[in-house]
């Protein structure tokens, strides 16, 4: 494998992890929003189900921290790619903040990966 191929593979995996964490955050948040509504509709005391509420809230905090760590990993890998001269590693259907003009707003027919040729100039860019 070449450095370019390895970088592209890492980029695809990184995007998959970021998407999975975001999907887990969406699902956890949906559950969290439903808990007080379900309690109220069942005419239960606010004390009822508090442990479930606390658990759901803790999972959102943990997922948010995991997302933050992956953003740091993303920035580190982008900086390493620049250092190694690998300029076309940002793979995924999403536009980056510095994409001017945008590459497509993240919507594609089958969410097929696109190569974004713009890497952050510094790890703090994202």
């Amino acid at each position: 494998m070449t450095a370019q191929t390895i970088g592209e593979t890492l980029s695809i995996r990184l995007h998959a992890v970021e998407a999975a964490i975001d999907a887990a955050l969406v699902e956890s948040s949906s559950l969290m929003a439903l808990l007080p509504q379900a309690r109220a509709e069942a005419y239960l005391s606010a004390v009822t189900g508090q442990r479930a509420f606390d658990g759901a809230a803790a999972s959102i905090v943990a997922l948010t921290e995991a997302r933050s760590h992956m953003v740091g990993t993303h920035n580190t890998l982008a900086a390493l790619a620049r250092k190694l001269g690998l300029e076309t590693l940002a793979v995924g259907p999403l536009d980056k903040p510095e994409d001017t003009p945008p590459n497509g707003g993240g919507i594609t027919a089958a969410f097929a990966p696109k190569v974004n040729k713009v890497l952050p100039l510094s790890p703090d860019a994202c």
Side-chain angles (χ1 to χ4, degrees), residues 63-86:
L63 286 166
T64 301
E65 290 173 356
R67 189 179 192 283
S68 179
H69 289 295
M70 288 313 301
V71 167
T73 299
H74 187 135
N75 290 334
T76 300
L77 288 172
L80 180 59
R82 275 190 319 282
K83 184 176 181 179
L84 296 174
L86 305 174

Side-chain angles (χ1 to χ4, degrees), residues 2 6 8 14-15 21 31-32 55 76-77 85 94 103-104 107 111 113 121 124-125:
T2 67
I6 292 168
E8 289 170 359
L14 176 65
H15 173 73
I21 292 171
L31 174 63
M32 185 77 174
T76 300
L77 288 172
L94 305 175
N103 290 323
I107 304 299
F111 290 101
L121 297 176
D124 300 326

Side-chain angles (χ1 to χ4, degrees), residues 42-126:
Y43 300 102
L44 298 172
S45 162
V47 175
T48 304
Q50 184 61 40
R51 283 188 184 164
F53 196 80
D54 291 342
S59 73
I60 291 171
V61 169
L63 286 166
T64 301
E65 290 173 356
R67 189 179 192 283
S68 179
H69 289 295
M70 288 313 301
V71 167
T73 299
H74 187 135
N75 290 334
T76 300
L77 288 172
L80 180 59
R82 275 190 319 282
K83 184 176 181 179
L84 296 174
L86 305 174
E87 297 183 14
T88 59
L89 297 180
V91 176
L94 305 175
D95 290 333
K96 305 297 182 200
E98 64 278 358
D99 286 349
T100 306
N103 290 323
I107 304 299
T108 61
F111 290 101
K114 289 196 249 178
V115 175
N116 180 341
K117 297 185 190 242
V118 179
L119 290 173
L121 297 176
S122 76
D124 300 326
C126 293

